Amino acid sequence: MSLYCGIACRKKSFWCYRLLSTYVTKTRYLFELKEDDDACKTAQQTGAFYLFHSLAPLLQKSEQRYQAPQYSLLELERLLAKFGQDTQRIEDSVLIGCSKQHEAWFALDLGLNSSSSLNASLQKAEMEIELKGSFTDLRKALFQLNTKDASLLTTAQALLRWHDAHQFCSRSGQPTKKNVAGSKRVCPSSKIIYYPQMAPVVITLVSDGTRCLLARQSSFPKGMYSALAGFCDIGKRFRACTDAQRTQGLNNCRFLFCCCCALSLKHTVPYQVK
Ligand SMILES: [Zn+2]
């Protein structure tokens, strides 16, 4: 028995080590790509690209699930050439992650006005026909994607939105320039470096132990509910935010739903406030 336990423990610690080791090498690789423009350009040669149009990801539907197709750099260059665009547009892409084998993943929005090219945005309908998919509202498709794609596309959308909204320096008014990975923008005039901002959000699951309180907005897809959530103001404590949301949620929501069944809340509840 003790021999069996010993082997099991060693196996467990071996897999823990492997997982940790993979995580560390991946994190180091991504850090290198963010800091080194040449390394990131090299990674694009063998990387995969996810496409967006005006912040909506290109998705292909099969039965009731969505899939996010990936394109190689070569395929992307061919596509841009077909639509009369220059390949300079690829400079607008942002790094969103990498595989265990260090295949880098990028996202590129072909609908937003390009900062690196004179080309206007590409026509959505023509591209959808060519790519056999549709540029879909991410919020509506989120729960019909696999966990990996949902996570990558959410990161991509937030980063693409940030770049689109931060093309000029707030101090000098001069155009800012993104690095190849898209992890920052720099103002050549005032030398200020801008990093993507995060907006802290607090989400609360109100529960009496057996039931929980959920709410929905009219813009949510049918059948979708969420725990009460909202943005955290500067200087406000998390606890104060959760109290405010509970009060606001109860006052503003048009429809509340009491649930006593086991709902999958893993995507909407990062932690519980007790
Ligand atoms: Zn500036």
Side-chain angles (χ1 to χ4, degrees), residues 97-115:
C98 76
S99 70
K100 284 178 193 167
Q101 292 75 32
H102 292 187
E103 178 197 54
W105 297 321
F106 299 88
L108 176 63
D109 197 306
L110 298 168
L112 298 174
N113 281 328
S114 172
S115 57

Side-chain angles (χ1 to χ4, degrees), residues 169-174 176 187-192 194:
C169 174
S170 59
R171 173 72 60 82
S172 65
Q174 295 298 309
T176 53
C187 171
S189 170
S190 56
K191 310 291 179 211
I192 298 175
Y194 294 92

Side-chain angles (χ1 to χ4, degrees), residues 194-237:
Y194 294 92
Y195 293 98
Q197 296 154 331
M198 282 178 68
V201 171
V202 172
I203 188 161
T204 316
L205 184 65
V206 180
S207 170
D208 65 2
T210 52
R211 297 172 303 163
C212 59
L213 180 63
L214 303 175
R216 57 175 276 111
Q217 293 176 9
S218 55
S219 62
F220 283 6
K222 196 181 169 194
M224 180 177 160
Y225 297 84
S226 168
L228 304 176
F231 290 104
C232 188
D233 292 336
I234 289 173
K236 209 168 187 182
R237 286 166 179 263

Side-chain angles (χ1 to χ4, degrees), residues 51 53 58 71 79-85 110 120-135:
L51 297 182
H53 193 287
L58 177 76
Y71 298 89
L79 180 76
L80 290 171
K82 191 163 186 175
F83 285 91
Q85 303 271 313
L110 298 168
S121 70
L122 287 166
Q123 288 302 311
K124 187 176 163 188
E126 292 170 24
M127 294 199 62
E128 286 179 333
I129 294 167
E130 175 68 26
L131 299 167
K132 298 180 179 64
S134 58
F135 293 102

